[in-house]
């Protein structure tokens, strides 16, 4: 009788075959595990011997090198330290600026540089906040206000042994949405008068419509009376304009009244005359220096021959 005709013999042969396959798989699996353990051990030995470690990063500063009515340029300084014996490339830098959970701007900087072996580098991340984009997206953000911000940065580095790592960073602060000051040329006070040359003082009222103080350093301006330019100048002038406050400054000017034509007689008779004034003021703020425009068109002012100290009596007539 053939062995194939005996079920007991066939079952034993199959069982022995399965046992051999299982033993073979176990030996194979054991071999692979040993290889993995060996590689892991070697990696640890290399890490211990050569000194591989994870890099660290920290936001060390936030600067606003330029701010005006259109935008704020911001630079984020990130100090990255590399404890490894070989340079580490920064693959990407992702950044996000938000205010109260709402995105203001985001971006990506590819191939952001290399951190030297056993060294540290300050990586500068430039970004810009465009105020028109912010105000058009969020109606409740008003010119002149100060808003909170949070900057989130992800540094992505390729580190030997560890592979690709993401270093998340955050920093909070405040940023202004600047608003240009309002100006009013309340009156013009004569120092000396002649038709050929008149020396006068412009009594200027400046209203700060921002939620932060302005420290006036200098201004430039040009003035038109009845559509005739009477000149302008650049002056060094110091004054503090409190937040949402008003300040008065006196500006000297020299002009030729005879160039004004018939408008001069209206002013001499005490009638108001139309004026236009344009220029800039250079100010210090808690957020850095700003160069803000000043302008007034269609205003009315008066000429005064008598010497006055205040700026609130421009309704007086000669």
């Amino acid at each position: 009788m053939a062995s194939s005709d005996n079920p007991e013999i066939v079952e034993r042969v199959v069982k022995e075959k399965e046992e051999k396959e299982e033993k073979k798989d176990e030996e194979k699996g054991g071999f692979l595990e040993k290889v993995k353990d060996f590689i892991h051990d070697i990696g640890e030995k290399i890490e211990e011997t050569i000194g591989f470690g994870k890099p660290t990063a920290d936001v060390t500063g936030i600067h606003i090198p330029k701010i005006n009515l259109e935008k704020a340029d911001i630079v984020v300084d990130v100090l990255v330290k590399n404890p490894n014996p070989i340079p580490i490339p920064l693959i990407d830098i992702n950044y996000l600026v938000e205010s109260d959970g709402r995105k203001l701007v985001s971006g990506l900087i590819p191939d952001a540089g290399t951190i030297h072996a056993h060294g540290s580098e300050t990586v500068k991340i430039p970004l810009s906040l465009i105020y028109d984009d912010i105000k058009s997206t969020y109606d409740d953000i008003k010119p002149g206000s100060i808003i909170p911000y949070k900057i989130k940065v992800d540094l992505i580095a390729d580190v030997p042994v560890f592979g690709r790592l993401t270093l998340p960073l955050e920093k909070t602060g405040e940023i202004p949405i600047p608003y240009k000051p309002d100006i009013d040329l309340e009156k013009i006070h004569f120092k000396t008068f002649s038709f050929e040359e008149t020396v006068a003082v412009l009594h200027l009222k400046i209203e700060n419509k921002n939620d932060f103080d302005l420290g006036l350093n200098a201004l430039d301006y040009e003035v038109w009376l009845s559509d005739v330019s009477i000149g302008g100048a650049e002056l060094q002038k110091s004054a503090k304009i409190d937040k949402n406050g008003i300040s008065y400054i006196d500006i000297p000017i020299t002009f030729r009244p005879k160039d004004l034509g018939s408008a001069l007689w209206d002013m001499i008779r005490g009638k108001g005359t139309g004026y236009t004034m344009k220029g800039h003021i250079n100010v210090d703020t808690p957020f850095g220096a700003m160069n803000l425009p000043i302008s007034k068109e269609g205003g009315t002012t008066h000429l005064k021959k008598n010497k006055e100290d205040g700026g609130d009596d421009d309704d007086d007539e000669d």
Side-chain angles (χ1 to χ4, degrees):
M1 181 177 61
S3 61
S4 59
D5 295 333
N6 189 332
E8 184 178 343
I9 296 175
V10 172
E11 184 178 349
R12 186 170 62 249
V13 171
V14 172
K15 188 175 181 180
E16 290 176 352
K17 186 175 182 181
E18 289 177 351
E19 289 176 352
K20 289 180 179 179
E21 292 293 333
E22 289 178 1
K23 187 176 180 180
K24 188 176 180 181
D25 289 341
E26 288 178 0
E27 291 176 350
K28 184 179 180 181
F31 175 74
L32 291 177
E33 288 299 324
K34 289 179 180 179
V35 171
K36 290 180 181 179
D37 291 341
F38 176 75
I39 293 175
H40 179 72
D41 291 341
I42 290 296
E44 288 185 343
K45 293 295 184 183
I46 293 175
E47 183 179 342
E48 292 174 2
T49 303
I50 301 181
F52 281 111
K54 294 182 180 180
T56 59
D58 185 39
V59 177
T60 56
I62 295 179
H63 312 283
I64 307 177
K66 181 180 180 181
I67 185 169
N68 52 37
L69 296 183
E70 289 75 37
K71 67 176 182 176
D73 291 334
I74 300 174
V75 177
V76 183
D77 290 344
V78 178
L79 180 63
V80 185
K81 296 181 179 180
N82 176 18
N84 298 291
I86 60 175
I88 290 178
L90 293 177
I91 301 172
D92 290 320
I93 297 178
N94 292 308
Y95 64 83
L96 167 68
V97 182
E98 60 182 22
S99 178
D100 293 328
R102 301 179 296 184
K103 185 179 81 168
L104 301 181
V105 66
S106 63
L108 181 146
I109 303 175
D111 301 326
T114 300
I115 311 301
H116 297 302
H118 293 306
S120 61
E121 298 283 343
T122 296
V123 179
K124 295 185 177 295
I125 305 173
L127 55 97
S128 294
L129 295 180
I130 308 299
Y131 291 130
D132 281 347
D133 293 344
I134 294 173
K135 291 181 287 187
S136 63
T137 304
Y138 307 113
D139 294 336
D140 59 319
I141 296 180
K142 303 299 183 183
S145 62
I146 300 173
I147 62 173
Y149 70 81
K150 178 186 289 185
I151 294 180
K152 297 181 178 180
V153 176
D154 285 340
L155 294 179
I156 303 174
D158 192 1
V159 184
V161 178
F162 297 98
R164 182 169 295 193
L165 295 180
T166 298
L167 306 176
L169 305 168
E170 287 188 4
K171 194 77 170 179
T172 59
E174 290 183 327
I175 193 79
I177 310 295
Y179 194 50
K180 76 173 185 176
D182 189 27
I183 63 168
D184 187 18
L185 180 55
E186 294 200 325
K187 62 178 176 284
I188 302 175
H189 169 223
F190 287 145
K191 289 289 188 180
T192 61
F193 177 83
S194 74
F195 289 106
E196 290 297 329
E197 182 178 86
T198 290
V199 178
V201 174
L202 308 180
H203 294 278
L204 188 65
K205 171 185 171 183
I206 303 180
E207 182 178 0
N208 178 13
K209 294 188 173 183
N210 295 283
D211 291 338
F212 51 90
D213 296 343
L214 301 178
L216 178 64
N217 295 317
L219 76 158
D220 64 82
Y221 65 92
E222 186 172 2
V223 180
W224 291 260
L225 295 178
S226 299
D227 298 325
V228 177
S229 174
I230 64 171
E234 296 183 8
L235 298 175
Q236 301 297 316
K237 199 78 175 179
S238 295
K240 180 184 178 184
I241 313 174
D242 293 332
K243 63 180 182 179
N244 300 306
I246 294 174
S247 183
Y248 296 89
I249 62 173
D250 292 340
I251 303 173
I253 193 168
T254 301
F255 64 98
R256 291 158 51 95
K258 71 176 186 179
D259 293 338
L260 298 178
S262 61
L264 173 63
W265 304 111
D266 291 336
M267 289 186 287
I268 291 177
R269 288 195 295 265
K271 295 182 179 181
T273 184
Y275 76 89
T276 295
M277 185 173 186
K278 295 181 180 181
H280 298 84
I281 59 173
N282 182 273
V283 296
D284 290 328
T285 77
F287 309 96
M290 298 186 193
N291 193 40
L292 300 176
I294 53 173
S295 64
K296 183 68 174 283
E297 297 186 44
T300 301
T301 191
H302 294 78
L303 287 178
K304 297 296 176 184
K305 294 182 182 180
N306 57 313
K307 185 175 181 180
E308 299 170 358
D309 296 327
D312 300 320
D313 55 353
D314 55 320
D315 290 330
D316 296 342
E317 295 185 358
D318 296 329

